[in-house]
């Protein structure tokens, strides 16, 4: 790292990479630090992402695509399977990535655009000046150096500490962390073009089990549950082992993935003087699916653009950077985060029995005009006994 | 392979250094340093991190 940059990015995930690439493309002097020794490793992801979402940022590259997905299957608590075809599955249709390659490719794109990149370099404290963030102290190879920056981007993921050190409370409520374990399994019978989601209290309380194909007979098989439901004997690892024993007893586990996804509301404020917070660090993963790759890239790109504008105007105060905060909140992403948070809260009130009935009803509907509001309206027609619950949902929406 | 700091026990042979616990700690006492987890002085032994851990690698020594 040089002693000074226009933009300093803390964290080399998809969010940080997009912030660095965008700012470097706009001619800013950019530094990116990543504390791990290899970008994207160990993986903490099921690697599913919408096709159109990725194409918003770049040409898909076969080297980081493990599987192409045409449909999603939802398995109700009673075992009933509902298939969502492409026209209605929305962003569930897409790719299962190879994130080791994907994340590294994104960081290389940032480097190609001119950003300085350093791995095994960890931010240990912000540099504060008159209450404003002016860079970070970076520890690498046993030494700590000051790296000054006009704008610093906290892209440090779920375990984000940088914003906390700047005085912003980012703690995730226990009930709103999805605590997860996933196996990469091989030698299993799967549909290689379908992502499968299992719901219900027995398989994953306040969460779900996923099977995301990575090849003909290989898949990410994982479970996430609410931190509130996690105790000795009923941790995600226990649920995963039970699921695997029942569904893939002969499969072989070749990799473990462990992690947490914040499914809380986003931070109340994602900027401060000289600071922008993006991706998982800003708690912008989807509250229903836990998907956060696109969200990190979207907020990362916007952070890079906003920082470039602010620096060009010579004002990097929180007020000036608020265009970033407003920008993502008012975007399609921001709106869907807000809506999906409410839908998640509603789903948590449903018993398995109600969930079964809901899924059975949805599967009998004509979903060619799939939208959340349509579904609610149609459902009431199909199963008037769900009216009371659904009215609650409609009021939310 | 256990590491004590006051009341919090980190079983490093179980920990998968995922950072899940770090995100829920109300006082920011945990820190993930590449491939190991460390706990600092301001830990209040509240046990929230131990609840969230996917693998059960944390234990508050006096937790009932
Ligand atoms: C089990 C699991 C399954 C998931 N499945 C999906 C899925 O299928 N689809 C999807 O879209 N999303 C999924 N997610 C969520 C997704 O992985 C994240 O939302 C995404 O990685 C967020 O990107 P990010 O850039 O914000 O953070 P990250 O990718 O977490 O990157 C943050 C980086 O910052 C580094 N860092 C942290 N602190 C410092 C520091 N002090 N100094 C330097 N570097 C630091 C970290 O080492 C890390 O590399 C899943 C998550 C989990 C845990
Ligand atoms: S949540 Fe558990 S596995 Fe993850 S870093 Fe903390 S102690 Fe380790
Ligand atoms: S016991 Fe509580 S205060 Fe201590 S590290 Fe865990 S969550 Fe933080």
């Amino acid at each position: 790292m040089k002693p000074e940059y226009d933009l300093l990015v803390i964290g080399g995930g998809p969010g940080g990479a997009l912030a660095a690439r965008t700012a470097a493309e706009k001619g800013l002097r950019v530094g990116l630090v990543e504390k791990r020794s290899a970008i994207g490793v160990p993986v903490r992801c099921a690697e599913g992402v919408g096709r159109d979402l990725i194409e918003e940022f770049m040409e898909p590259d076969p080297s980081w695509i493990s599987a192409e997905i045409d449909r999603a299957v939802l398995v109700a608590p009673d075992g009933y399977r509902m298939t969502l075809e492409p026209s209605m599955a929305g962003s569930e249709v897409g790719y299962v990535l190879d994130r080791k390659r994907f994340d590294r490719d994104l960081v290389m794109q940032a480097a190609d655009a001119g950003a300085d990149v350093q791995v095994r370099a960890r931010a240990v404290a912000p540099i504060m000046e008159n209450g404003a963030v002016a860079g970070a102290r970076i520890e690498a190879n046993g030494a700590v150096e000051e790296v000054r920056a006009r704008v610093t981007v906290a892209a440090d993921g779920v375990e984000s500490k940088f914003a906390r050190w700047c005085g912003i409370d980012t703690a995730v409520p226990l009930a709103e962390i999805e605590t997860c374990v996933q196996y990469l399994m091989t030698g299993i019978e799967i549909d290689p073009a379908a992502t499968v989601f299992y719901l219900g209290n027995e398989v994953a309380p306040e969460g779900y089990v996923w099977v995301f194909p990575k090849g003909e007979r290989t898949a990410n098989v994982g479970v996430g549950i609410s931190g509130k439901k996690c105790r000795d004997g009923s941790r995600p690892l226990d649920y995963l082992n039970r699921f695997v024993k029942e569904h893939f007893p002969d499969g072989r586990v070749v990799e473990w993935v462990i992690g947490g996804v914040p499914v809380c509301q986003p931070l109340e404020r994602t900027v401060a003087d000289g600071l922008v917070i993006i991706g998982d660090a800003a708690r912008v993963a989807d509250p229903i699916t836990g998907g956060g790759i696109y969200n990190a890239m979207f907020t990362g790109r916007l952070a890079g653009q906003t920082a470039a504008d602010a620096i060009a105007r010579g004002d990097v105060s929180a007020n000036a950077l608020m265009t970033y905060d407003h920008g993502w909140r008012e975007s399609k992403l921001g709106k869907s985060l807000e809506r999906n948070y409410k839908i998640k809260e509603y789903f948590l009130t449903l018993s398995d029995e109600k969930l079964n009935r809901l899924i059975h009803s949805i599967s009998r509907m004509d979903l060619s005009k799939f939208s959340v509001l349509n579904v609610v309206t149609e459902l009431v027609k199909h199963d008037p006994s769900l009216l009371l619950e659904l009215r609650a949902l409609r009021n939310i929406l | 392979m256990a590491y004590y700091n006051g009341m919090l026990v980190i079983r490093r042979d179980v920990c998968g250094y995922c950072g899940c616990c770090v995100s829920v700690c109300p006082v920011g006492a945990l820190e993930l340093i590449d491939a190991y987890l460390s706990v600092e002085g301001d830990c209040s032994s509240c046990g929230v991190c131990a609840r969230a851990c996917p693998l059960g690698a944390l234990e508050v020594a006096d937790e009932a």
Side-chain angles (χ1 to χ4, degrees):
Chain A
M1 287 290 111
K2 300 194 182 82
E4 196 179 337
Y5 289 97
D6 295 319
L7 190 81
L8 174 64
V9 180
I10 316 290
L18 257 288
R21 181 185 106 181
T22 308
E25 281 168 355
K26 288 185 174 288
L28 262 52
R29 298 169 302 147
V30 179
L32 180 151
V33 289
E34 165 56 55
K35 69 182 174 185
R36 304 198 222 168
S37 50
I39 300 290
V41 182
V43 172
R44 292 187 205 132
C45 191
E47 308 177 299
V49 72
R51 194 174 299 166
D52 44 336
L53 299 182
I54 286 297
E55 284 165 6
E56 195 180 310
F57 298 97
M58 61 202 160
E59 282 292 306
D61 179 338
S63 78
W64 41 249
I65 294 171
S66 299
E68 295 205 31
I69 301 303
D70 291 333
R71 55 193 171 274
V73 178
L74 216 59
V75 184
D78 63 3
Y80 179 82
R81 297 169 82 89
M82 172 171 82
T83 301
L84 295 167
E85 296 297 343
S87 57
M88 51 178 110
S91 62
E92 252 54 81
V93 173
Y95 302 121
V96 178
L97 302 173
D98 178 341
R99 273 201 66 184
K100 287 174 197 145
R101 293 206 167 142
F102 180 75
D103 284 26
R104 193 175 55 195
D105 193 41
L106 289 183
V107 168
M108 292 204 286
Q109 288 178 20
D112 285 345
D116 283 349
V117 174
Q118 192 176 353
V119 293
R120 276 177 77 79
R122 184 172 64 102
V124 292
I127 300 171
M128 298 297 288
E129 265 173 21
N130 307 318
V133 180
R137 297 171 61 79
I138 307 295
E139 185 185 79
N141 291 316
V144 178
E145 279 177 13
E146 290 206 341
V147 178
R148 302 180 55 82
R150 296 213 257 176
V151 176
T152 305
V153 175
D156 43 353
V158 66
E159 82 261 34
S160 166
K161 291 290 285 290
F162 198 80
R164 285 208 208 201
W165 296 328
C166 302
I168 298 164
D169 182 12
T170 61
V172 177
L174 179 64
E176 298 195 298
I177 189 81
E178 282 294 302
T179 163
C180 310
V181 182
Q182 165 183 291
Y183 293 151
L184 173 60
M185 297 192 73
T186 193
I188 55 178
E189 294 302 319
I190 52 160
D191 175 348
T195 49
V196 189
F197 302 81
Y198 294 78
L199 303 176
N201 224 5
E202 296 293 313
V203 288
E206 302 196 1
Y208 60 88
V209 168
W210 62 86
V211 179
F212 286 6
K214 296 268 288 177
E216 287 298 315
R217 292 168 56 77
T218 306
N220 288 332
V221 181
V223 56
I225 66 171
S226 159
K228 190 174 82 193
K229 299 284 181 182
C230 183
R231 288 175 190 284
D232 282 340
S234 55
R235 294 194 185 268
L237 182 62
D238 302 304
Y239 284 99
L240 180 60
N241 284 335
R242 279 200 288 272
F243 180 86
V244 161
K245 201 170 160 197
E246 186 183 334
H247 291 84
F248 304 120
D250 301 322
R252 286 174 304 263
V253 175
V254 292
E255 204 169 292
W256 283 40
V257 166
I258 303 134
V261 192
V263 291
C264 52
Q265 278 173 318
L267 297 184
E268 259 168 50
R269 207 158 185 251
T270 54
V271 297
D273 292 328
L275 177 73
V276 181
I277 311 167
I278 66 170
D280 273 12
R283 314 310 188 201
V284 294
D286 186 277
I288 297 180
T289 62
I293 301 170
Y294 170 79
N295 309 18
M297 293 169 76
F298 182 90
T299 50
R301 182 177 58 187
L302 189 60
Q305 287 163 348
T306 307
D309 292 347
I311 289 168
R313 283 197 313 270
D315 180 2
V316 296
S317 67
N319 261 343
L321 297 171
M322 271 307 272
T323 39
Y324 161 77
D325 191 282
H326 292 316
W328 71 257
R329 277 183 220 275
E330 279 152 26
S331 70
K332 208 173 144 203
L333 167 71
K335 301 276 180 225
S336 86
L337 286 178
E338 205 180 329
R339 188 196 64 202
N340 288 359
Y341 185 81
K342 292 171 182 160
I343 297 178
K344 177 201 82 165
E345 293 288 284
Y346 161 75
F347 269 106
L348 293 184
T349 66
L350 292 182
S351 63
D352 278 4
E353 192 263 318
K354 289 240 170 70
L355 202 55
N356 285 333
R357 274 164 52 201
L358 204 65
I359 292 175
H360 287 249
S361 307
I362 294 179
S363 70
R364 288 194 297 268
M365 291 169 33
D366 167 21
L367 286 179
S368 54
K369 295 184 292 289
F370 189 85
S371 85
V372 180
L373 258 175
N374 272 348
V375 170
V376 173
T377 313
E378 285 295 304
L379 274 173
V380 177
K381 278 192 221 152
H382 279 268
D383 188 349
S385 65
L386 284 169
L387 181 67
L388 249 153
E389 277 80 33
L390 290 170
R391 190 181 286 155
L393 179 61
R394 191 150 49 175
N395 286 344
I396 295 172
L397 299 169
Chain B
M1 277 290 278
Y3 173 80
Y4 292 83
N5 180 292
M7 288 288 125
L8 191 70
V9 183
I10 303 171
R11 295 168 63 195
R12 291 210 164 130
D13 48 347
V14 176
C15 173
Y17 41 92
C18 70
C20 187
C21 54
V22 180
S23 74
V24 294
C25 174
V27 300
L30 295 166
E31 168 87 344
L32 191 61
I33 301 165
D34 194 3
Y36 73 92
L37 181 71
S38 85
V39 54
E40 271 130 47
D42 32 8
C43 167
S44 68
S45 304
C46 70
V48 169
C49 56
R51 284 286 303 280
C53 176
L55 304 176
L58 297 172
E59 201 182 319
V60 175
D62 63 350
E63 199 186 29

